[in-house]
Amino acid sequence: MTATAPGQPGASDEAEAVRLTQALVSRRCGLVREMAPQGRGTEEPCPPYLWTATLSHFDFRAAGRSERLNAGKGRTEAEARLSALGEAIERYCAYHWDAARIRVGRASAGSITPDDLVLHSQAQHASGTLPYPPWSDETDTSWISGTELPGGTPVDLPAALVFLVSPTPRHDDHVTAITSNGLAAGADLECAIIGGLHEVIERDALMITWLNRLPATLIETPETGCMAAAIIRHYRRHGVQVRLFRLASDQAPVVVMAVADNPDPAQGVRMIGMGCDLDGVAAIDKAMFELCQARPSMASRMAQGDAAGRLRSYADVRDLDDHPLFHALPGNSAEFDFLLASGQRTTIDGMPRHRHATPADTLARIVAAASDAGARVAYCDITAPDIAPLGPRVVRCVITGFQPIHFGHGEGRLGGARLFEAPVRWGLRDVPLTEAELNPCPHPLA
C-alpha cells in the first residue's frame, strides 16, 4: 500500500497499520473480514513478512476465495499488514463502477482512447477468435475524467480500462480483457500514482522482453548492499538458485526480474518476481520480495492440482494462475534461455541509485522519461467515498502506447507499435518482428 521501498520502512508504519485495522477489519461488519500471516514453510525466508487481508462480500456476492484474498509483503510486520490492507482497498475501490462520473458518447478532442492504451491487432480480430468487439472513433464509449501529467489538466479516459469490472455494464466497452495493470493504492495521491506508473512500466518491459525474446543483463549475485543478498543466501541453503536480470527499457525506473530455480518439482521448478523503482537496488529488493510472496502459494497449487496433465501446450494456458503454473513444470525450463543470450553482466554497484529522491522528484522523473518516449501519462483517482476520509488513495494510471500485460493464450494485445519498434530503437533487433514471429510461449507472471 505504501510507496516506501523494501528496506526503507516508514517510522509510523505500526501506528498506521493499527489505525487502518481498527477502521477496516471486523469479522462481523468490516470491509476486511480477516487479517492473518501468510502460511509458508521453513524453507522460506523472513523477512520479508507476508500477510493476507480477506475482503468481505461487500457486493452481496459469494465470490471465490481467490477474488477476496489479498496479499501484502514488507520488511516489517507492520509494513506487510499495510501492504495487504492496501491491496484490499485497491480491489474494493476498483470494483465500484461509478456511474455518476461517467459520460457515454464519442471521444472528445484530446481524449486518451482505448486504442491509445493498446488493443488487439486487425489480424487478431480477423481471425474470429477474439470475444471483443473492435473499437473505433465512431464507437459510443463510457468515459471518465482523469488527470494528465505533468500539467494536471483534465482528460477523458475509457472507464472500462479504469475500473476492474468485467463484464462491463455496456457491451461496447468490453474491447479487451480487464486487468489490474496500473492500479495502485498509496498512503497519499502522489505515492499511489508512483506505484501505478511503476507497474505500467514494469509490465511494459516484461512484455516487450518476453514477446520479442530479448536478452537481459544478468546482475551478478550480490553478497551485500541489499536485502536480496540475505534472501538469496537463504534459498541457496535449501537448494534454490536465484538469478537477477535487468530488463531493457527506455524509462527512468529500473526493471528487475528475479528468477528462482528449485530442484524439487513438487514445489514448482521455476518462479519469478518483478520489481521496478527509480533506485536500482530498491528494484532488486522489490523483485525478491515478490518472488518470496509467490513461492508459498505456488507450492500449494502444485500440491492440489494436476498442472502437468492440464497444461500440456501453450494453448492450455487460459487464465492468470495458469501462467506461473506452466513455468513451474520441469519440461518448460528452457523457455527462459533467451534472457542469457547476450552474455551481458552488471553488478549491484553498477545499478542506478536514487536513494534520497523525494516522491515529487520521483514522479517528475518518471513522467519526463515517458514523455520523452512520445507517450502521454494520466491517472484517475477512484478512491471510494467511504475510503477517502481514512487517507489512502486508489488510482488507475495509464501511459499511452506502453505494452499492457495479458492473461491467457491468444489474449495478447498486439495492436500497438511500441511492442515491435522498441527493440529496434534500443539496438536489440535489426528489424521489427512480425506478429507471427512473436514468442508464442505464455509469459511467466501472475
Side-chain angles (χ1 to χ4, degrees):
M1 173 183 152
T2 67
T4 306
Q8 300 172 327
S12 61
D13 280 354
E14 180 61 38
E16 183 68 359
V18 169
R19 184 182 73 87
L20 289 179
T21 298
Q22 291 174 341
L24 296 170
V25 182
S26 168
R27 284 186 176 274
R28 299 181 67 180
C29 58
L31 173 62
V32 175
R33 294 178 56 197
E34 182 181 35
M35 292 280 295
Q38 180 178 336
R40 52 181 164 172
T42 56
E43 70 278 5
E44 298 300 323
C46 185
Y49 291 87
L50 306 177
W51 274 72
T52 61
T54 305
L55 278 169
S56 66
H57 294 308
F58 61 87
D59 51 2
F60 304 102
R61 183 173 56 88
R65 185 170 183 270
S66 63
E67 191 174 332
R68 300 305 192 199
L69 189 67
N70 302 272
K73 53 194 177 293
R75 180 187 175 185
T76 65
E77 288 208 58
E79 189 177 289
R81 298 202 314 270
L82 279 173
S83 176
L85 284 170
E87 290 290 325
I89 290 169
E90 174 188 314
R91 186 177 294 190
Y92 171 72
C93 293
Y95 279 168
H96 284 78
W97 182 273
D98 192 347
R101 296 176 61 185
I102 290 171
R103 171 186 72 84
V104 178
R106 305 287 175 83
S108 59
S111 297
I112 291 179
T113 70
D115 262 354
D116 293 329
L117 301 181
V118 185
L119 296 177
H120 304 278
S121 68
Q122 291 182 358
Q124 287 178 290
H125 280 294
S127 71
T129 59
L130 291 176
Y132 317 110
W135 186 88
S136 77
D137 292 336
E138 304 300 313
T139 304
D140 280 345
T141 300
S142 297
W143 304 96
I144 185 169
S145 182
T147 303
E148 188 163 2
L149 299 174
T153 55
V155 60
D156 277 353
L157 302 173
L161 299 181
V162 168
F163 294 103
L164 196 60
V165 176
S166 181
T168 53
R170 297 180 63 256
H171 173 71
D172 286 352
D173 290 324
H174 196 52
V175 292
T176 191
I178 308 302
T179 74
S180 62
N181 204 44
L183 272 174
D188 54 40
L189 182 61
E190 202 168 46
C191 290
I193 296 169
I194 291 170
L197 292 176
H198 275 162
E199 183 170 89
V200 173
I201 292 165
E202 173 189 289
R203 305 293 173 81
D204 172 75
L206 170 65
M207 297 310 298
I208 291 175
T209 294
W210 191 264
L211 289 171
N212 285 278
R213 292 193 182 96
L214 297 182
T217 299
L218 180 67
I219 304 168
E220 294 181 3
T221 303
E223 295 298 328
T224 59
C226 60
M227 294 192 69
I231 295 172
I232 292 171
R233 286 196 297 272
H234 176 94
Y235 278 138
R236 191 184 298 145
R237 289 194 291 271
H238 291 272
V240 177
Q241 301 298 318
V242 178
R243 291 173 292 175
L244 302 169
F245 295 94
R246 180 177 180 180
L247 304 190
S249 176
D250 56 2
Q251 295 305 291
V254 176
V255 179
V256 172
M257 177 192 288
V259 181
D261 291 312
N262 191 337
D264 183 0
Q267 295 185 349
V269 299
R270 178 163 290 159
M271 286 291 299
I272 76 160
M274 297 293 300
C276 178
D277 200 279
L278 204 62
D279 184 272
V281 173
I284 289 173
D285 285 343
K286 286 182 177 181
M288 283 304 310
F289 274 35
E290 184 171 281
L291 175 63
C292 294
Q293 185 180 48
R295 276 176 47 84
S297 58
M298 174 57 69
S300 176
R301 288 199 296 271
M302 290 293 288
Q304 293 174 4
D306 179 24
R310 184 170 60 83
L311 302 176
R312 295 178 178 273
S313 70
Y314 298 158
D316 293 328
V317 174
R318 301 295 178 85
D319 59 29
L320 180 147
D321 288 335
D322 286 346
H323 283 259
L325 272 173
F326 181 85
H327 291 281
L329 300 175
N332 300 324
S333 59
E335 299 288 0
F336 281 65
D337 289 354
F338 65 85
L339 292 172
L340 291 162
S342 71
Q344 292 186 343
R345 291 174 173 259
T346 190
T347 66
I348 191 171
D349 293 332
M351 302 292 281
R353 299 306 312 270
H354 294 283
R355 286 171 288 184
H356 306 299
T358 65
D361 181 51
T362 297
L363 183 56
R365 287 171 181 257
I366 292 171
V367 173
S371 300
D372 288 346
R376 298 169 66 188
V377 180
Y379 72 90
C380 185
D381 187 340
I382 57 171
T383 312
D386 53 341
I387 296 298
L390 297 175
R393 303 290 282 275
V394 177
V395 299
R396 169 82 80 164
C397 295
V398 299
I399 305 178
T400 60
F402 276 43
Q403 186 62 32
I405 200 164
H406 67 272
F407 299 105
H409 179 74
E411 291 282 345
R413 290 157 65 173
L414 308 181
R418 179 175 168 86
L419 172 63
F420 301 94
E421 296 173 357
V424 179
R425 288 200 305 272
W426 301 345
L428 298 174
R429 287 215 176 274
D430 295 328
V431 296
L433 297 184
T434 65
E435 280 188 41
E437 293 173 320
L438 293 173
N439 186 2
C441 178
H443 66 78
L445 188 65

